[in-house]
Amino acid sequence: MSAADDGANGANRTLGQLMATATTELSALVHDEIALAKAELRQDAKRVGIGGGAIAAAGTLALFSLPVLSFAAAYGIHNLGLGLAWSFLIVGGAFLLIAALLGLLAVTKFKKVSKPEKSIASAKQTAAVLGTVKPHPRPLTDTSPAGASVTRSTV
């Protein structure tokens, strides 16, 4: 709606036209609020997905390192030499190092997740504006006869 529409046709518009315009604009406002919330949540969902994947990979690598480290410890105690056991220890240590790096990556991704602040602020602002709207006062007199019923069409 432009300023020319307000000045020229604003006084000539019917109540039905005003209600239709208000309903359309309120509907557009609600759709815009939902779109904003979706955009903010999509960004945070991506961060949670990356962090969750990194934690899953870290857990998997740590789980794989347990048998390797167990074999290394068993061979090390059995042999008390530097041969085969040291190679198992090196592989197991490498798995733990990678798991630790992935765990740090997951923690940094989870710390960047935030609540949808723009959507919350916009919704609060909309609620404040709508809260100040006062309905038009109507007389509480009943003009219909006491026993009359209202017949409504289904159209």
Side-chain angles (χ1 to χ4, degrees), residues 69-125:
L69 291 173
S70 296
F71 278 115
Y75 279 128
I77 291 171
H78 178 68
N79 291 333
L80 292 176
L82 294 178
L84 191 57
W86 279 106
S87 64
F88 278 121
L89 282 173
I90 291 171
V91 171
F95 276 139
L96 284 179
L97 179 66
I98 292 170
L101 290 175
L102 288 173
L104 288 175
L105 173 69
V107 167
T108 58
K109 290 297 178 182
F110 284 139
K111 284 184 179 180
K112 289 183 181 179
V113 174
S114 63
K115 59 185 176 184
E117 294 171 1
K118 292 178 185 175
S119 295
I120 292 170
S122 180
K124 285 181 181 179
Q125 182 182 13

Side-chain angles (χ1 to χ4, degrees), residues 1-87:
M1 186 185 319
S2 67
D5 290 340
D6 285 341
N9 296 332
N12 298 333
R13 296 172 74 186
T14 65
L15 180 61
Q17 290 170 333
L18 291 172
M19 288 301 294
T21 301
T23 303
T24 302
E25 289 179 4
L26 187 60
S27 176
L29 177 65
V30 169
H31 285 292
D32 290 344
E33 296 287 342
I34 291 171
L36 177 62
K38 282 183 182 179
E40 287 183 326
L41 291 176
R42 191 176 301 122
Q43 185 180 26
D44 284 342
K46 183 178 179 182
R47 288 180 181 146
V48 168
I50 291 171
I55 281 193
T60 301
L61 288 176
L63 186 65
F64 287 158
S65 70
L66 291 177
V68 172
L69 291 173
S70 296
F71 278 115
Y75 279 128
I77 291 171
H78 178 68
N79 291 333
L80 292 176
L82 294 178
L84 191 57
W86 279 106
S87 64

